[in-house]
Amino acid sequence: MSKRKRNESEETMEILWQTPANPPQRQDYIFRDGKQVWNLARKHQFREMAQTFLSFFLAGIRYVRPYYFEFISHAKNRWAGKTIVDLFADEFKGRPRDYYVSAVKAGRIQVDGQTVPVSYVIKSSQKISHFVHRHEPPVRAKDIQILHSEPDVLTICKPASVPIESGEIKKQYIARVRGVFPETEQVANASIDYNPREGKSTVELSNNPNGKNPSKGKAACTKFTRISTNGTQSLVLCEPITGRTHQIRVHLQFLGHPIANDMLYLSESAPLRSIEGLSADRAASNSRPLKEASFNEIQVPQPSYELTEDFHIDPMCTNCPNLEPKGYDGHEEGLWLHCVKYSGPDWTYECPYPSWASLC
């Protein structure tokens, strides 16, 4: 980590910048149980937090304490010729334009390691740094189930809200989808084009009689087998042959059986994240109609203590004083898609089905 000083309202403030080489330690986490969330909601009269309370009352929530972080990118050809403020306002809509003006003036946005004026024009391939007070989305503070322990490998059942990266291995998933899925095996062999700006994939089919796909989509294939159905929804085994972004989700939509709680692919008219300024899933989820819960309608035990935030409030941060990042409401239970089997050349690990896999 490196230390940098900045001037904010004529006051010198020393900031310790976090890098990917310095991951959070246990003392960097903030834990809240359901009672704390409910108390915060009542204290500030945040009605929308009623849903958060109902979801997390038993498991609680784990946050990473907000920290200072340097995001680095290199200017793409299409960025060249734009002013530094126009670039951020056009490409990164999660914050208002006024914020980017202030961030450039304060040196929180730099080009090639140097502070630049708001009128600075970007050139291709330049290094662009954005120093932010980062608020990570919280995850459920559930106990982690250990499936298998070896000297070199620890296999766990990952909670749905925890992000993870996996290597090149064979995986089998289960998904809970809309409708009665066909009894016979279904193979979706359709190219996928991922739009990183909008965070969403689309299926592209070739109209070329020679079988060559002139589109920019990448070849993708997924096998699906029905496990069970209740006449309204179905539980489906999913075996991706390739590994494209959102492959299972978009292939199920392509077959007419999208994941039953996947707001991003249930509708063709999901809001664009470039307009909403949120992640694609968050923008789609926030668009769904929700019945507002009244505090008077929910009878729960009242906590006997007050909540303390216990983290630094940054005057320029667009998330502070909230602990959650912008757009997070916490009411979703997690996508009904779960990996149940990982296989390698000489090993296989399986985990039990999640509770939503029961169609009763």
Side-chain angles (χ1 to χ4, degrees):
M1 290 185 283
S2 59
K3 292 183 178 180
R4 300 173 184 263
K5 290 185 177 181
R6 68 173 180 85
N7 292 320
E8 180 66 35
S9 302
E10 300 181 353
E11 179 182 356
T12 300
M13 176 180 175
E14 189 171 57
I15 294 177
L16 191 63
W17 298 105
Q18 186 85 355
T19 71
N22 306 113
Q25 304 298 316
R26 181 169 180 82
Q27 65 269 20
D28 296 321
Y29 290 107
I30 296 176
F31 290 85
R32 289 181 181 169
D33 62 25
K35 290 183 179 180
Q36 288 177 303
V37 176
W38 175 252
N39 189 49
L40 180 64
R42 289 187 61 84
K43 179 180 179 181
H44 297 287
Q45 292 298 299
F46 292 159
R47 289 184 174 273
E48 62 271 20
M49 290 190 68
Q51 291 289 345
T52 303
F53 171 76
L54 291 176
S55 292
F56 292 107
F57 180 72
L58 293 179
I61 314 174
R62 184 177 76 244
Y63 296 83
V64 175
R65 198 180 309 277
Y67 56 94
Y68 290 100
F69 186 82
E70 179 184 6
F71 282 101
I72 299 175
S73 61
H74 290 85
K76 308 178 190 302
N77 289 334
R78 63 183 173 86
W79 294 359
K82 292 185 176 183
T83 67
I84 185 68
V85 172
D86 286 343
L87 165 62
F88 274 87
D90 293 344
E91 299 289 336
F92 306 100
K93 297 182 181 293
R95 294 177 172 87
R97 184 184 182 86
D98 288 347
Y99 163 81
Y100 292 123
V101 172
S102 299
V104 171
K105 290 180 178 179
R108 291 210 177 182
I109 294 178
Q110 299 181 359
V111 179
D112 291 331
Q114 301 295 321
T115 300
V116 297
V118 294
S119 59
Y120 184 86
V121 176
I122 295 296
K123 303 177 182 65
S124 180
S125 300
Q126 285 187 302
K127 175 188 172 184
I128 301 175
S129 299
H130 185 195
F131 300 95
V132 300
H133 191 231
R134 191 174 187 184
H135 293 235
E136 293 191 10
V139 299
R140 299 181 184 183
K142 289 184 175 180
D143 291 336
I144 305 297
Q145 180 183 359
I146 297 177
L147 301 176
H148 194 68
S149 180
E150 299 178 45
D152 299 324
V153 178
L154 181 66
T155 308
I156 66 169
C157 185
K158 180 187 75 67
S161 56
V162 178
I164 194 172
E165 295 290 336
S166 59
E168 295 295 325
I169 56 179
K170 184 178 180 181
K171 291 171 278 189
Q172 291 184 350
Y173 295 77
I174 57 168
R176 182 168 175 168
V177 305
R178 277 191 173 181
V180 178
F181 200 84
E183 286 187 272
T184 58
E185 180 183 82
Q186 303 292 301
V187 178
N189 196 356
S191 297
I192 291 176
D193 179 29
Y194 177 68
N195 184 337
R197 178 179 173 83
E198 301 302 343
K200 187 175 182 179
S201 292
T202 54
V203 164
E204 294 189 349
L205 297 177
S206 173
N207 295 320
N208 192 316
N210 297 323
K212 295 182 179 179
N213 191 347
S215 71
K216 56 184 178 181
K218 295 182 179 180
C221 181
T222 314
K223 294 181 180 180
F224 298 99
T225 306
R226 190 177 84 184
I227 299 173
S228 62
T229 183
N230 61 6
T232 302
Q233 296 179 346
S234 301
L235 192 65
V236 178
L237 179 68
C238 316
E239 299 178 85
I241 307 304
T242 54
R244 310 303 180 198
T245 303
H246 294 184
Q247 176 174 314
I248 294 175
R249 298 168 68 179
V250 73
H251 272 174
L252 282 168
Q253 180 198 51
F254 169 67
L255 293 176
H257 298 276
I259 295 172
N261 72 340
D262 189 351
M263 300 308 299
L264 184 59
Y265 291 104
L266 276 172
S267 171
E268 295 292 344
S269 59
L272 300 178
R273 76 171 181 181
S274 61
I275 296 176
E276 296 290 319
L278 307 172
S279 71
D281 283 291
R282 192 74 61 204
S285 179
N286 287 356
S287 70
R288 64 181 174 180
L290 290 174
K291 180 180 179 181
E292 182 176 330
S294 168
F295 286 106
N296 296 326
E297 296 172 356
I298 305 174
Q299 303 298 322
V300 296
Q302 296 302 307
S304 58
Y305 50 82
E306 289 294 314
L307 177 67
T308 57
E309 295 294 352
D310 194 26
F311 72 94
H312 170 71
I313 305 297
D314 186 286
M316 285 189 65
C317 179
T318 55
N319 291 309
C320 286
N322 296 325
L323 185 53
E324 300 87 353
K326 177 185 175 183
Y328 183 88
D329 55 19
H331 62 261
E332 65 269 23
E333 66 172 298
L335 192 67
W336 287 345
L337 175 69
H338 187 67
C339 187
V340 293
K341 187 175 182 179
Y342 281 75
S343 301
D346 56 357
W347 53 268
T348 297
Y349 296 109
E350 297 185 55
C351 67
Y353 283 10
S355 59
W356 52 256
S358 173
L359 298 179
C360 298

